[in-house]
Amino acid sequence: MPLTLRVAGGLVALEGAAGVVTAIVLVIRAFTGHDQSVASGVGTALWFGILFGGVLAAGVALGFGKRWGRAIAVIAQVLFLPVAWSLLTDSHQPVWGTLLAALSVGTLAALFAPASSAYMARDYAADAD
């Protein structure tokens, strides 16, 4: 398995883990009264947990060389790019926006590196016979 795919899997798993940790923090905040309502905090936490749980699973799958994780990883990176743009412009958070953009672009580069693409396509190659 190429190093580029392992790197991409690690980065995607890191993103997924960050989202799952955020979900846990949201639940804790909801039950300690930091949210307007418990239902709002728990609902948001469920949303984060489901979405980023899938991203975490995709990252782990990529780390083990499974093809199905690549599609989820690519979609996640493409969805992170507008978030990065929003952080850079409307939210006035240039440090976080730059970090997220660099992470997304770097992960996409690793996912679409020639070695990664060749590895993912190896089972679809025409038979030599």
Side-chain angles (χ1 to χ4, degrees):
M1 192 169 77
L3 178 63
T4 54
L5 198 58
R6 289 178 200 254
V7 168
L11 292 173
V12 173
L14 180 66
E15 293 167 350
V20 170
V21 168
T22 301
I24 293 167
V25 169
L26 288 171
V27 168
I28 292 169
R29 286 179 50 89
F31 285 114
T32 57
H34 289 89
D35 249 339
Q36 292 179 0
S37 72
V38 173
S40 176
V42 172
T44 304
L46 282 172
W47 181 250
F48 267 72
I50 291 167
L51 289 178
F52 283 100
V55 173
L56 176 60
V60 171
L62 281 173
F64 285 109
K66 304 295 183 192
R67 280 194 304 270
W68 66 264
R70 188 178 189 198
I72 296 170
V74 169
I75 291 169
Q77 302 320 302
V78 170
L79 291 174
F80 284 149
L81 290 174
V83 175
W85 179 256
S86 176
L87 288 168
L88 286 167
T89 57
D90 298 334
S91 298
H92 307 291
Q93 299 288 328
V95 173
W96 293 112
T98 302
L99 287 173
L100 182 59
L103 177 66
S104 295
V105 170
T107 304
L108 284 169
L111 287 167
F112 288 109
S116 296
S117 294
Y119 181 83
M120 289 290 164
R122 76 186 189 290
D123 291 339
Y124 295 109
D127 289 334
D129 297 334

